[in-house]
Amino acid sequence: MKIVRYIVDGKTEYGILDGERVQSLAGDPFQKLEKLERYHKLGDVKLLAPCVPSKIVAIGLNYHSHAKEVGQPVPKEPMMFFKPSTSVIGPEDKIVNPGCQRLDYEAELGVVIGKRASKVAKAEALNYVLGYTCFNDVTARDWQAQDSQWSRAKGSDTFAPIGPCIETELDAGNVLVEAYLNGERKQQANTSDLIFSVPELVSYISQVITLLPGDVIATGTPAGIGPMKSGDVIEIKVAGIGTLRNHIA
Ligand code: MG
């Protein structure tokens, strides 16, 4: 099932995406999933980020291929940082360069938390996941190198494109994650190359940070990171979920 969030006739609602059609949901699927007998054409709605996270917990250096690319050893524990809720944008929205020299894309699998998770065991972790989405961990690469904290390098406005939907049925341990810049493939990896799996990440993070419904874990990017410039179109594709497309302002 593909859950979307959108504006239609000036109102924001959640729905289920079915091909070119969206079926409205009553209220908030994080509380209770109730389908209505009301449908919209996909072309008639403006898709938004499919969830409203209180926070995004992102993981650095979580693919063997990317650790190799940047010449870093494989980390012994997940390396976490935050992206603020204010950095979130939706499909087709514009990514705005806040004034850095190098603005990078990072294709990632996003994990969407379905219920409050605190001190969760690895074996129970997937019970706290509602589904998965495409995530672009937009990064000001020069600021990341320059600053000891990554707040502006990773947390500037528009630096967290999420979407287009939350897929609730996906084998997160074996999916293809790709980035296309102006139609040209730049990143391609299978999540089987992840250093820390989704259950390991949910469990590890929740030992010290309570995850709330709608929160997103950005699971890290594979090899092939690179810069974007004004006018570019960046697409993050995760097999089984869809394509998250954004434009560089
Ligand atoms: Mg990243």
Side-chain angles (χ1 to χ4, degrees), residues 59-159:
I59 308 299
L61 227 54
N62 197 28
Y63 278 86
H64 291 281
S65 65
H66 180 52
K68 207 170 176 182
E69 169 183 57
V70 295
Q72 296 279 335
V74 170
K76 292 191 173 63
E77 288 185 274
M79 204 241 291
M80 285 190 240
F81 57 93
F82 284 124
K83 290 171 85 89
S85 58
T86 43
S87 61
V88 172
I89 58 171
E92 304 291 348
D93 286 346
K94 284 193 165 77
I95 298 167
V96 180
N97 185 332
C100 65
Q101 296 300 313
R102 182 173 151 159
L103 184 71
D104 276 14
Y105 55 82
E106 291 190 0
E108 307 199 4
L109 173 74
V111 180
V112 182
I113 298 297
K115 57 184 182 185
R116 185 184 176 92
S118 174
K119 300 188 178 8
V120 170
K122 186 182 152 190
E124 299 296 320
L126 291 183
N127 297 332
Y128 294 82
V129 173
L130 177 67
Y132 302 91
T133 190
C134 307
F135 189 86
N136 189 350
D137 178 17
V138 177
T139 302
R141 196 65 70 196
D142 51 320
W143 290 355
Q144 187 184 27
Q146 205 173 310
D147 299 353
S148 59
Q149 297 279 337
W150 296 353
S151 300
R152 67 169 183 159
K154 293 283 196 178
S156 290
D157 289 351
T158 75
F159 274 23

